[in-house]
């Protein structure tokens, strides 16, 4: 290649002390990058590598899957759906009427049997089904500036329709997310002694410090004609209203759980927990479901068999593929560099 | 393709699909009208057999790859809409979406387009028949395109549903899921490219693995700005082994 250049006598790569006069050369300066001669590695996918790779993946994934599955089985979870049970018999056909009637007592009692030993802390969640906290207009309906800064309490852009009461007074915190705050409450009793539920520290620390202000207090909240959920104590600043903070971390999926509190005693198998709950929140208008969940955690989080099963499946599939490739390689080997596989040899007449 | 040197051939060069001109004794008019210009006639062999072949292979790979890269991303957003009562909530924040195309996944594409070679120049010069791969539509044809699209669909489904099932019925929030899906899609798209690179040079390594690292870095930076809704999500997520 280099013998074909038109002009130039001396190589342009910087030899400075030649005695002969240098002709002007238009040849670009040589470097391994510009001449594309960088050292390179060209891996080729031979059967041996493929089988090895699949074997490796299988051997790594299967133990991970087994460990994950065991961790998930260790988690003890009690789930109890209560929205359908807690409607009194005379309102079975009109649950919406029942929930919207403020004079009816909404207290409901349920029993939760404990089947396995549960170590503290036991997390109490409320789970909502068919509740689309991820709807576009809902997610947008908040104003973060107002939540953090006491001076911006009149900043209600993007909060409609829950922005003003009576058209003039700004609502703090504004928006649909805050307006629809969940307001069922739960009390737990065991052998007639109340189990204390710790409601401190249930929200993200970064939210308490940086997204919800210490000087911001609720104003005009739930003052309108339509009450969407819980009302807030106007003397407690937003950074300490942990239920609000937890609720405003909008959930990703239509079925979600939110942390209500933590029980810090162990529960033994065979015990029966009596729950006295206040069934205020209206999920009947949209066929939503409400469930109360008590759950322990493992290093992997809550109860979820999916990860373990997924790892096991992929690992098993890889081992199966490695095995079948080995069989094919032994029965019908294909030589590396066999010219009969070149495309013009395979279709001799074809274009 | 046409190839000539004189000024009277300018119109011929312009009519051809690919025009190659020589800059030399008869001036530069042919060069100005042509797509490629050379110094000598003997360079033509190398231009065609070596650079032409490489060009074809790279373009033929990168066109479906770019469709794949963007389609996986968009399909992931689409599957999410099915879970939001069809209300077009975008799972990614605006900055994340912009960064995806520009920062997270573009550099490896460019690097591969410049540097990847399937065969060395010596082999290509020795076996001119390899140049016929272009004539025979071997590297890019309708069948390959549709296979790529079906692969894209399958990959986007797996990409979306695996984290979904992992975090189903849990207390995860929108922006944490968004972080997870963003990282997943970037890693997926870059690994796909990595499996197809035929010739690894250190620049290629830097581009592919560097993009993944840059993605993490950008997410950390974005998640540290309190105004954004996804504040602190990456720190919170990384603490849990499920991630």
């Amino acid at each position: 290649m280099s013998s074909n250049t038109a002009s130039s006598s001396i190589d342009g790569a910087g030899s400075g002390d030649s005695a002969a006069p240098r002709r002007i050369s238009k040849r670009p300066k040589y470097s391994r990058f510009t001449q594309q001669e960088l050292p390179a590695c060209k891996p080729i996918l031979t059967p041996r590598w493929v089988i090895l790779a699949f074997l490796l993946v299988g051997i790594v994934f299967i133990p991970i899957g087994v460990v994950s599955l065991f961790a998930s089985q260790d988690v003890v979870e009690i789930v109890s759906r209560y929205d359908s049970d807690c409607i009194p018999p005379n309102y079975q056909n009109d649950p919406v009427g029942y929930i919207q009637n403020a004079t009816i007592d909404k207290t409901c009692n349920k029993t939760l049997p404990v089947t396995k030993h549960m170590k503290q802390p036991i997390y109490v969640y409320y789970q909502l089904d068919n509740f689309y906290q991820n709807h576009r207009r809902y997610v947008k309906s908040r104003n973060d500036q107002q939540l953090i800064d006491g001076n911006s309490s009149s900043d209600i852009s993007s909060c409609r329709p829950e922005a003003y009461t009576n058209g003039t007074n700004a609502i703090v915190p504004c928006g649909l997310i805050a307006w629809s705050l969940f307001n069922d409450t739960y009390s737990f009793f065991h052998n007639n002694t109340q189990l204390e539920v710790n409601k401190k520290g249930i929200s993200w620390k970064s939210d308490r410090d940086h997204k919800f202000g210490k000087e911001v207090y609720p104003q005009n909240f739930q003052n309108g004609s339509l009450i969407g959920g819980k009302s807030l104590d106007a003397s407690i600043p937003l950074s300490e209203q942990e239920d609000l903070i937890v609720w405003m971390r909008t959930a990703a999926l239509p079925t979600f759980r939110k942390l209500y509190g933590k029980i810090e005693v162990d529960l033994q198998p065979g015990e029966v927990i009596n729950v006295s709950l206040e069934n205020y929140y209206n999920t009947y208008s949209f066929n939503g479901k409400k469930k109360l969940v008590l759950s322990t955690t493992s290093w992997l989080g809550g109860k979820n068999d999916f990860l373990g099963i997924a790892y096991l499946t992929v690992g098993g599939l890889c081992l199966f593929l490695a095995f079948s490739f080995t069989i094919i390689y032994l029965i019908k080997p294909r030589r590396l560099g066999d010219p009969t596989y070149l495309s013009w040899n395979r279709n001799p007449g074809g274009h | 393709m046409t190839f000539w040197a004189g000024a009277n051939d300018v119109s011929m060069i312009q009519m051809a699909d690919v025009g190659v001109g020589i800059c030399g004794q008869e001036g530069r008019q042919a060069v100005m009208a042509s797509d490629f210009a050379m110094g000598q006639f003997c360079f033509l062999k190398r231009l065609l057999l070596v650079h032409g072949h490489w060009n074809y292979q790279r373009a033929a790979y990168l066109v479906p790859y770019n469709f794949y890269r963007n389609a996986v991303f968009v399909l992931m957003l689409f599957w999410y809409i099915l879970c939001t009562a069809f209300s077009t909530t975008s799972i990614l924040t605006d900055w994340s979406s912009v960064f995806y195309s520009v920062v997270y996944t573009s550099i490896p594409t460019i690097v591969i387009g410049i540097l990847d070679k399937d065969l060395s120049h010596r082999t290509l010069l020795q076996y001119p028949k390899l140049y016929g791969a272009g004539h025979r539509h071997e590297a890019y044809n309708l069948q390959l395109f549709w296979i790529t699209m079906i692969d894209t669909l399958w990959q986007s489904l797996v990409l979306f549903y695996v984290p979904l099932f992992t975090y189903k019925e849990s207390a995860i929030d929108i922006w944490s899921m968004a972080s997870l899906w963003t990282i997943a899609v970037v890693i997926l798209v870059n690994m796909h490219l990595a499996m197809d690179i035929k010739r690894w040079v250190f620049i290629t390594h830097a581009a592919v693995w560097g993009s993944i690292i840059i993605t993490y870095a950008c997410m950390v930076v974005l998640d540290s700005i309190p105004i954004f809704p996804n504040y602190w999500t990456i720190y919170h997520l990384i603490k849990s082994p499920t991630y």
Side-chain angles (χ1 to χ4, degrees):
Chain A
M1 179 57 218
S2 44
S3 56
N4 285 341
T5 28
S7 58
S8 139
S9 49
I10 297 174
D11 183 274
S15 53
D17 57 342
S18 156
R22 244 211 279 188
R23 274 163 50 196
I24 299 184
S25 158
K26 293 223 172 105
R27 187 198 219 171
K29 196 162 175 166
Y30 173 79
S31 88
R32 294 181 77 179
F33 174 65
T34 54
Q35 292 301 323
Q36 297 212 14
E37 285 169 17
L38 290 166
C41 159
K42 281 186 78 161
I44 301 182
L45 222 48
T46 57
R48 191 180 308 167
W49 278 106
V50 171
I51 293 173
L52 264 176
F54 276 127
L55 258 180
L56 195 68
V57 170
I59 291 176
V60 166
F61 273 25
I62 288 193
I64 297 181
V66 168
V67 166
S68 304
L69 209 55
F70 276 139
S72 169
Q73 304 287 359
D74 273 343
V75 171
V76 187
E77 202 181 60
I78 308 175
V79 180
S80 161
R81 180 176 173 189
Y82 64 87
D83 61 315
S84 49
D85 297 341
C86 280
I87 309 176
N90 44 338
Y91 279 98
Q92 288 287 343
N93 294 331
D94 185 21
V96 180
Y98 153 71
I99 202 83
Q100 287 179 339
N101 190 334
T103 58
I104 307 176
D105 181 28
K106 304 282 189 339
T107 315
C108 181
N109 292 310
K110 287 198 71 84
T111 48
L112 303 175
V114 179
T115 48
K116 282 161 62 167
H117 174 67
M118 293 175 81
K119 276 185 58 143
Q120 61 102 359
I122 302 173
Y123 291 88
V124 180
Y125 297 99
Y126 51 92
Q127 177 173 327
L128 287 164
D129 282 12
N130 208 29
F131 190 109
Y132 285 88
Q133 259 205 336
N134 51 16
H135 193 286
R136 185 187 181 87
R137 292 196 63 185
Y138 187 90
V139 169
K140 281 185 174 312
S141 179
R142 63 191 283 164
N143 191 313
D144 289 319
Q145 199 53 34
Q146 188 198 57
L147 295 171
I148 182 73
D149 186 7
N151 298 329
S152 317
S153 45
S154 50
D155 185 2
I156 44 81
S157 56
S158 81
C159 269
R160 290 188 198 288
E162 288 301 317
Y164 289 120
T165 41
N166 308 324
T168 47
N169 303 317
I171 301 180
V172 175
C174 71
L176 280 174
I177 308 182
W179 176 80
S180 58
L181 181 56
F182 190 73
N183 56 0
D184 285 4
T185 53
Y186 312 102
S187 323
F188 299 89
F189 297 92
H190 168 57
N191 291 343
N192 293 326
T193 50
Q194 182 158 18
L195 289 171
E196 204 194 303
V197 178
N198 184 358
K199 287 182 71 79
K200 289 253 163 292
I202 54 178
S203 54
W204 291 17
K205 184 162 187 311
S206 60
D207 278 354
R208 291 199 293 274
D209 292 343
H210 298 283
K211 283 204 105 134
F212 289 83
K214 297 188 178 42
E215 306 294 320
V216 186
Y217 295 87
Q219 285 170 25
N220 304 318
F221 193 65
Q222 307 283 16
N223 260 352
S225 49
L226 266 178
I227 297 191
K230 193 165 152 174
S231 9
L232 294 173
D233 187 341
S235 58
I236 304 179
L238 287 188
S239 60
E240 287 169 36
Q241 304 260 19
E242 303 224 22
D243 282 328
L244 178 71
I245 299 177
V246 167
W247 183 254
M248 288 195 77
R249 271 252 142 229
T250 43
L253 301 167
T255 303
F256 61 90
R257 294 181 184 174
K258 290 206 176 285
L259 188 58
Y260 179 79
K262 294 179 257 203
I263 295 179
E264 273 149 359
V265 292
D266 284 6
L267 293 179
Q268 308 298 337
E271 292 183 350
V272 171
I273 309 291
N274 296 312
V275 184
S276 163
L277 57 94
E278 304 289 329
N279 186 20
Y280 292 129
Y281 201 66
N282 180 7
T283 53
Y284 303 100
S285 320
F286 54 88
N287 292 329
K289 297 185 206 163
K290 290 191 283 188
K291 295 182 187 166
L292 177 62
V293 178
L294 268 73
S295 172
T296 54
T297 55
S298 65
W299 60 274
L300 204 57
K303 190 174 192 68
N304 195 329
D305 291 338
F306 175 76
L307 258 188
I309 296 178
Y311 270 113
L312 279 175
T313 313
V314 172
L317 196 66
C318 285
L319 281 182
F320 170 72
L321 280 173
F323 184 60
S324 38
F325 278 135
T326 314
I327 304 255
I328 295 178
Y329 180 57
L330 291 173
I331 295 179
K332 199 170 178 250
R334 173 174 155 165
R335 194 164 53 97
L336 188 66
D338 189 351
T340 55
Y341 283 100
L342 285 171
S343 58
W344 57 87
N345 288 332
R346 281 219 232 162
N347 311 323
H351 185 356
Chain B
M1 190 190 90
T2 189
F3 170 77
W4 217 244
N8 53 334
D9 301 308
V10 167
S11 42
M12 181 171 76
I13 290 180
Q14 281 170 336
M15 279 303 296
D17 287 331
V18 178
V20 183
I22 290 267
C23 42
Q25 303 272 18
E26 294 181 30
R28 296 186 161 245
Q29 271 149 324
V31 165
M32 286 193 286
S34 59
D35 301 304
F36 295 96
M38 303 185 302
Q40 287 192 351
F41 279 102
C42 52
F43 292 161
L44 183 65
K45 177 177 166 198
R46 210 176 151 83
L47 178 74
L48 278 185
L49 292 184
V50 176
H51 294 288
H53 178 93
W54 283 343
N55 210 350
Y56 172 67
Q57 294 289 340
R58 289 167 189 161
Y61 177 66
L62 283 179
V63 166
Y65 175 75
N66 272 305
F67 274 110
Y68 158 78
R69 175 170 70 104
N70 288 306
V72 160
F73 177 67
V74 169
L75 278 174
M76 177 185 79
L77 297 176
F78 176 72
W79 302 131
Y80 184 63
I81 295 180
L82 301 181
C83 291
T84 67
F86 302 101
S87 73
T88 72
T89 308
S90 169
I91 188 71
L92 295 178
T93 55
D94 304 328
W95 280 101
S96 245
S97 316
V98 166
F99 274 12
Y100 174 79
S101 288
V102 171
V103 172
Y104 300 164
T105 57
S106 63
I107 300 172
T109 316
I110 297 173
V111 166
I112 300 312
I114 300 175
L115 288 180
D116 200 28
K117 299 182 209 167
D118 58 327
L119 294 164
S120 75
H121 60 104
R122 273 178 282 266
T123 317
L124 289 170
L125 285 172
Q126 203 176 353
Y127 299 105
K129 201 149 183 179
L130 288 166
Y131 186 66
H135 296 154
R136 292 186 294 267
H137 301 290
E138 270 168 26
Y140 182 69
N141 49 48
L142 199 60
Q143 194 184 15
L144 268 176
F145 176 75
W146 283 114
I147 292 178
T148 310
M149 286 294 112
I150 294 175
D151 186 27
T152 307
L153 193 69
W154 147 254
Q155 288 193 20
S156 73
L157 280 171
V158 168
L159 171 77
F160 178 74
Y161 279 106
V162 166
L164 188 92
F165 284 130
T166 309
Y167 281 108
K168 209 166 142 82
E169 288 186 8
S170 74
I172 194 107
D173 64 297
I174 285 191
W175 310 114
S176 303
M177 286 298 283
S179 292
L180 181 61
W181 272 319
T182 311
I183 297 271
V185 77
V186 168
I187 293 182
L188 176 72
V189 162
N190 280 331
M191 291 301 291
H192 181 105
L193 186 66
M195 290 201 292
D196 280 330
I197 295 178
K198 299 187 186 70
R199 197 164 169 280
W200 284 89
V201 169
F202 79 89
I203 301 181
T204 323
H205 280 290
V208 172
W209 314 123
S211 287
I212 297 181
I213 295 176
I214 288 181
T215 309
Y216 269 105
C218 282
M219 297 198 68
V220 167
V221 167
L222 282 179
D223 285 353
S224 306
I225 303 179
I227 306 181
F228 290 144
N230 50 339
Y231 184 61
W232 223 253
T233 47
I234 193 84
Y235 299 112
H236 204 252
L237 261 187
I238 284 188
K239 278 194 258 170
S240 88
T242 318
Y243 182 76

